[in-house]
């Protein structure tokens, strides 16, 4: 039943000026005044609890040890824990695959190019697979490979389970919205968003079956969506940002839906780190610029492009962090019995960017207007 006439009338009046502005200011002033001390206390208590939790005698029981994992207090046979990782050609995917394998996980390292297999040659516990996450059939075949591996273990009297999925594959096509055609948006969305959906959809039957039959209840899905999926995007992120926001929303929905099965879903949200994706930003944007028509380039001008690419690519690359903290954090997420809903990684992400999520849009727009942005050549006469 919809709200009655009185509430409908109140709702209508609260959207009329000046009452809209007055009510907004009064409500949030009181809300923040009351919530601030409560939030401080909650954060302190949570911090102390986590510190005690990780330093107490229970610390040894809150991690999965791939080399000695078993099910049930009386179980004598260890299980082999598998991790399925996409985007292992370079960057986070490659490094996490190598580290996870060294810790005893069986890693299905999915690469777009078969040439990338050579980096895993003679690496114990790594099984490289060729996978394009935009291809439905390839994703289904990869899921079948994992299922066959589990079934083969049963024939050999080995207990095997799929412990985790790390959706890491991602791309970006830099440039202003005005510089890109629709195909660019579709390509990025197909990898960064639908790629995650495809992989999750293909493996859900296996993960649920493990939970239902009690062979493995602690499985988890980790989706790398970066801080671009949490904070408002700036110029040049027209393809990348929306795909990451979509992936974040999908992960939130999936987390709620899979709780009943004991399957955890988490997003990995690093800021700028020294991955090939970051190092290639200038070349990527330059390629987009070079492919524009002569008239379009004249409309913006070379000076505009150089200043834009410096802000959107050169500065982030200059201040990018080493990959090690992200790789280590993902490994902990693979090993921990409980996984945080969001892994926000990078000093700037944890203590600066995250604040943008809490600001109202009118303040974000005002702060954005203070940023001296380059002006297109065609608009210089209006200055």
């Amino acid at each position: 039943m919809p709200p009655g006439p009185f509430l409908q009338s109140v709702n209508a009046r609260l959207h009329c000026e000046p009452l809209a502005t007055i009510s907004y200011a009064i409500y949030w002033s009181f809300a923040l005044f009351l919530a601030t001390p409560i939030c401080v206390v909650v954060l302190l208590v949570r911090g102390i609890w986590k510190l005690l939790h990780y330093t107490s005698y229970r610390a040894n029981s809150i991690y999965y040890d791939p080399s000695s994992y078993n099910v049930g207090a009386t179980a004598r046979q260890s299980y082999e824990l598998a991790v399925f990782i996409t985007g292992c050609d370079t960057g986070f995917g490659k490094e996490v695959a190598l580290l996870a394998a060294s810790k005893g996980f069986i890693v299905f390292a999915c690469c777009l190019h078969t040439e990338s297999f050579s980096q895993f040659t003679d690496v114990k516990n790594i099984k490289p697979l060729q996978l394009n996450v935009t291809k439905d059939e390839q994703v289904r075949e990869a899921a079948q490979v994992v299922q066959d591996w589990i079934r083969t273990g049963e024939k050999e009297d080995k207990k095997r389970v799929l412990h985790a999925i790390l959706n890491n594959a991602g791309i970006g096509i830099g440039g202003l919205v005005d510089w890109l055609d629709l195909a660019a948006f579709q390509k990025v969305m197909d990898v960064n968003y639908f790629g995650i959906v495809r992989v999750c959809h293909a493996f859900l039957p296996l993960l649920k079956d493990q939970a239902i039959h009690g062979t493995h209840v602690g499985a988890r899905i980790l989706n790398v969506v970066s801080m671009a999926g949490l904070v408002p995007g700036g110029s040049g992120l027209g393809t990348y940002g929306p795909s990451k926001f979509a992936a974040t929303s999908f992960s939130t929905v999936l987390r709620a839906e899979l709780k009943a099965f004991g399957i955890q879903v988490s997003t990995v949200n690093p800021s700028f780190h020294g991955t090939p994706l970051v190092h290639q930003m200038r070349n990527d944007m330059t390629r987009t610029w070079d492919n524009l028509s002569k008239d379009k380039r004249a409309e913006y001008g070379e000076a505009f492009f150089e200043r834009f690419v410096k802000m959107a690519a050169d500065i982030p690359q200059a201040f990018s962090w080493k990959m090690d903290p992200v790789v280590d954090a993902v490994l902990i997420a693979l090993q921990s019995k409980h996984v945080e809903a969001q892994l926000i990684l990078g000093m700037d992400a944890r203590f600066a960017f995250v604040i943008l999520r809490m600001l109202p849009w009118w303040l974000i727009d005002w702060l954005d207007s203070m940023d001296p942005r380059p002006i297109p050549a065609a608009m210089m006469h209006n200055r």
Side-chain angles (χ1 to χ4, degrees):
M1 179 180 295
F6 175 73
L7 291 179
Q8 295 283 7
S9 176
V10 172
N11 180 65
R13 290 178 180 275
L14 288 178
H15 288 79
C16 297
E17 295 292 354
L19 187 58
T21 299
I22 295 173
S23 61
Y24 181 88
I26 293 176
Y27 174 81
W28 283 109
S29 295
F30 276 102
L32 293 174
F33 177 77
L34 295 174
T36 299
I38 297 176
C39 291
V40 171
V41 172
V42 170
L43 286 172
L44 287 175
V45 171
R46 183 176 182 273
I48 294 173
W49 179 85
K50 290 193 68 174
L51 182 62
L52 293 174
H53 186 60
Y54 284 105
T55 57
S56 70
Y57 69 94
R58 293 178 298 173
N60 292 329
S61 65
I62 63 176
Y63 288 103
Y64 287 101
D65 183 355
S67 62
S68 61
Y69 175 66
N70 56 63
V71 177
T74 61
R76 297 179 179 178
Q77 189 172 25
S78 296
Y79 277 58
E80 293 183 348
L81 302 181
V83 179
F84 184 89
I85 307 176
T86 66
C88 292
D89 297 81
T90 59
F92 295 139
K94 171 189 172 183
E95 299 303 323
V96 171
L98 292 171
L99 185 58
S102 71
K103 299 299 182 180
F105 288 104
I106 305 300
V107 179
F108 290 90
C110 300
C111 302
L112 178 62
H113 306 290
T114 55
E115 293 82 2
S116 300
F117 289 4
S118 60
Q119 62 195 352
F120 301 123
T121 301
D122 299 329
V123 178
K124 184 181 179 181
N125 295 335
I126 289 187
K127 300 178 181 296
L129 298 175
Q130 195 278 325
L131 177 64
N132 183 336
V133 296
T134 68
K135 305 297 183 182
D136 295 346
E137 186 61 30
Q138 286 191 24
V139 174
R140 286 193 293 267
E141 289 175 355
Q144 189 61 53
V145 168
V146 176
Q147 291 179 1
D148 291 343
W149 172 77
I150 293 174
R151 294 193 184 100
T152 301
E154 294 174 353
K155 295 178 181 178
E156 300 173 357
D157 198 28
K158 295 180 180 179
K159 301 297 183 181
R160 295 171 171 173
V161 295
L162 176 60
H163 174 65
I165 294 172
L166 176 62
N167 283 304
N168 171 72
I171 63 171
I173 299 179
L176 301 183
V177 172
D178 191 31
W179 299 354
L180 302 168
D181 57 20
L182 184 59
F185 292 88
Q186 293 173 326
K187 181 178 181 179
V188 174
M189 188 66 76
D190 206 14
V191 175
N192 295 357
Y193 172 62
F194 286 109
I196 291 177
V197 175
R198 285 188 187 91
V199 171
C200 290
H201 199 269
F203 280 97
L204 278 182
L206 174 57
L207 294 176
K208 291 191 300 178
D209 183 73
Q210 292 179 163
I212 293 171
H213 292 90
T215 54
H216 191 52
V217 184
R220 68 281 319 274
I221 298 173
L222 309 177
N223 296 328
V224 180
V225 299
S226 87
M227 282 303 293
L230 295 179
V231 299
S235 297
L237 294 176
T239 61
Y240 190 76
S243 70
K244 293 302 186 178
F245 265 91
T248 297
S249 180
F250 173 76
S251 301
T252 302
V253 172
L254 193 63
R255 183 184 307 118
E257 294 180 353
L258 295 183
K259 279 185 178 180
F261 292 93
I263 301 170
Q264 303 178 73
V265 179
S266 176
T267 58
V268 183
N269 305 92
S271 56
F272 291 107
H273 285 71
T275 64
L277 184 66
V278 172
H279 291 314
Q280 295 168 5
M281 288 173 65
R282 169 173 270 274
N283 291 338
D284 182 46
M285 292 183 180
T286 300
R287 190 181 308 111
T288 299
W289 174 258
D290 291 341
N291 288 333
L292 295 178
S293 66
K294 182 178 179 181
D295 291 341
K296 182 73 71 174
R297 290 199 300 271
E299 183 180 302
Y300 285 90
E302 292 292 337
F304 176 96
F305 172 72
E306 285 301 324
R307 188 170 179 184
F308 162 74
V309 79
K310 180 179 180 180
M311 295 172 58
D314 294 348
I315 294 178
Q317 180 177 340
F319 288 92
S320 60
W321 307 101
K322 292 183 178 180
M323 290 193 295
D324 297 354
V326 176
V327 175
D328 293 340
V330 172
L331 177 66
I332 292 175
L334 294 176
Q335 293 179 314
S336 300
K337 291 292 181 69
H338 173 72
V339 185
E340 298 286 346
Q342 291 178 340
L343 304 178
I344 298 178
L345 306 168
M347 186 184 299
D348 47 356
R350 292 177 64 86
F351 303 110
F353 291 162
V354 71
I355 297 177
L356 293 175
R357 301 171 60 194
M358 308 175 189
L359 299 180
W361 274 105
W362 62 265
L363 181 55
I364 293 176
D365 284 342
W366 180 77
L367 292 173
D368 186 65
S369 67
M370 304 299 291
D371 185 16
R373 296 184 178 279
I375 299 175
M379 294 297 293
M380 294 296 290
H381 66 280
N382 292 330
R383 296 189 65 181

